[in-house]
Amino acid sequence: MASVEELWAKLDGAADCKSLLKNNLTKERYEALKDKKTKFGGTLADCIRSGCMNLDSGVGIYACDPEAYTVFADVLDAVIKEYHKVPELKHPEPEMGDLDKLNFGDLDPSGEYIVSTRVRVGRSHDSYGFPPVLTKQERLKMEEDTKAAFEKFTGELAGKYFPLEGMSKEDQKQMTEDHFLFKDDDRFLRDAGGYNDWCSGRGIFFNTAKNFLVWVNEEDHLRLISMQKGGDLAAVYKRLVVAINTMTASGLSFAKRDGLGYLTFCPSNLGTALRASVHMKIPNLAASPDFKSFCDNLNIQARGIHGEHTESVGGVYDLSNKRRLGLTEYQAVEEMRVGVEACLAKEKELTGNADLQELWTRLSGASSDTCKSLLKKNLTQARFDALKDKKTKFGGTLADCIRSGCKNLESGVGIYACDPEGYTVFADVLDAVIKDYHKVEKLDHPEPDMGELDKLQFADLDPSGDYILSTRVRVGRSHDSYGFPPVLTKEQRLKMEEDTKAAFEKFTGELAGKYYPLDGMKPEDQKQLVEDHFLFKDDDRFLRDASGYDDWPSGRGIFHNNDKTFLVWVNEEDHLRLISMQKGGDLGAVYRRLVNAITTMQGSGLSFAKRKGLGYLTFCPSNLGTALRASVHMKIPNLAAQPDFKEFCEKLNIQPRGIHGEHTESVGGVYDLSNKRRLGLTEFQAVEEMRAGVEACLKKEKELEAAAKK
């Protein structure tokens, strides 16, 4: 184990290190502290080891034990002031408030916005050191002391303790499903000694109702958590305070220091050591450009529901009190309450449940400079008046179709179909938009024709493998018996998912695989799907305002075959998006696989929505017709460098774009080349047009490459 001198040398020599430890452990402070030791035997090396071994740390220092906050105060106090953004350390005495006179109750009685509420605190026994100095025997003794306190819990707090060591597989499985289990997977904590003697002396207590939980020796000695579905902050907070009082009355004594409050292993958590939070649906507020500053002004921290630095899911955010130090426990919860109520009020204001007339007023009042969408261009006053009171058999309205385009005036298209019948009921505006977008004079899309798979005129477009990296063909499909997102209920979406899963069971041979629902997805499956670039997200504001993410993630999932060359997205944007793909340029193999999959799904009993003259129907009118996109990722650095590259592709009806999607840049001269036309030709013709275009690009690239070598 590295000595304090070796650790200091590594930290002192790290010019790029930006941790608070690096910023505050000066040479002078190091010299003054390096030989000091606490009554628990803790040293400066114990405090700084993790931050020196992990120079990318944010804080970089842990307290080796409670007394370290006094012995090594010279550096720890400086770090605490900087992290908590306080000029002086004068944390008040603990104050939980009068539980009979709380200023809050249920923050969301309707249950429409707040998914769940949680309040947790960290606590440290004052008679034991922190992980770097704890022996296995001390940790086991601490566990016994804590278990004795758990025996004092009665009523709704009564429950059972589950030690990690020797835990049965059934208990482990259940706790994983309940999201109660903690792990030893944090490298910063590991290097700080946090997982010494794992998993001895560690465990989980929870009550019968599973709304109160205590982690024993995870990071801190104790982490007490009260939680439940919905927004009843009062019930959650009272339960936690009663639990703390019960444990204190049992004889446990928790470590504190004047001016710092309750002490924790990491100085970032001390003070109240309290975090009060809700998981809350705020898609509209989160989409506003001043979302972060709005939260900052309320001392609220917004983050994804899976922890710090994670993304939101379905417009749901974790909102919590930002401040831990310099205020009482009750004040911290009150600050969170005020912030959450302000966010709730703002979300309701932004949502507004705007009626059709409000949407129309916003759209029609927007100048041509502000709004250039096809909706703005084609929804005239006469058309609006003719359509405003119509409704489809699915219950879809004009408001459902235009809401996103009216709320996002910078939209390109600006209109979605509320359901398959929307293309008939609201044809007056949708047909006009379709003609405009697809650049066709009339809507006479041919009947579907996939071609004869045994007589395809294409195979591998690049047998050498020198130019084409990968090939992909995908189609969108919609069940004709279900509406699109604006009118779908959660139950309908789940039923549609079941219908689709039944069709997947018909896949055999190279198409056989497995379906992964997003709802309840295992962390290991999520990690693998992210690595495979198969996972889709809920991060498009245009789609969000069109109700594309309603009830997220229910009824959504991903199917892929065993070879990972065939994929189906269920209820991403469209009901189904079928994708066939593989490395290299074998377009024939990719296309055949896709057609076989479509044929199998239709043969299973599924029926896909079509309209005469429009072809296959999709949520967004930009994708209908063949609903097919055939593409390659291809190295064309010389062709792409030509001034007439765009015109060259346009003449071939080929669309070039970056490999990460529309409006992205090329990487290393690699471009995504695809068929530009979706409407007015058959599926086979669309793929043939892409094939001819790609072959022309390949030929031109070879010519330019040869010329460059001369």
Side-chain angles (χ1 to χ4, degrees), residues 5-25:
E5 291 82 5
E6 291 170 326
L7 294 171
W8 165 252
K10 183 173 182 179
L11 181 71
D12 187 49
D16 294 330
C17 180
K18 295 179 172 59
S19 71
L20 299 186
L21 172 65
K22 171 71 173 176
N23 195 36
N24 289 285
L25 186 59

Side-chain angles (χ1 to χ4, degrees), residues 460-470 583-585 635 698 702:
D460 194 333
L461 306 186
D462 177 29
S464 71
D466 293 338
Y467 298 90
I468 297 179
L469 304 181
S470 61
K583 298 293 185 184
K635 299 176 188 174
L698 180 57
K702 288 179 177 179

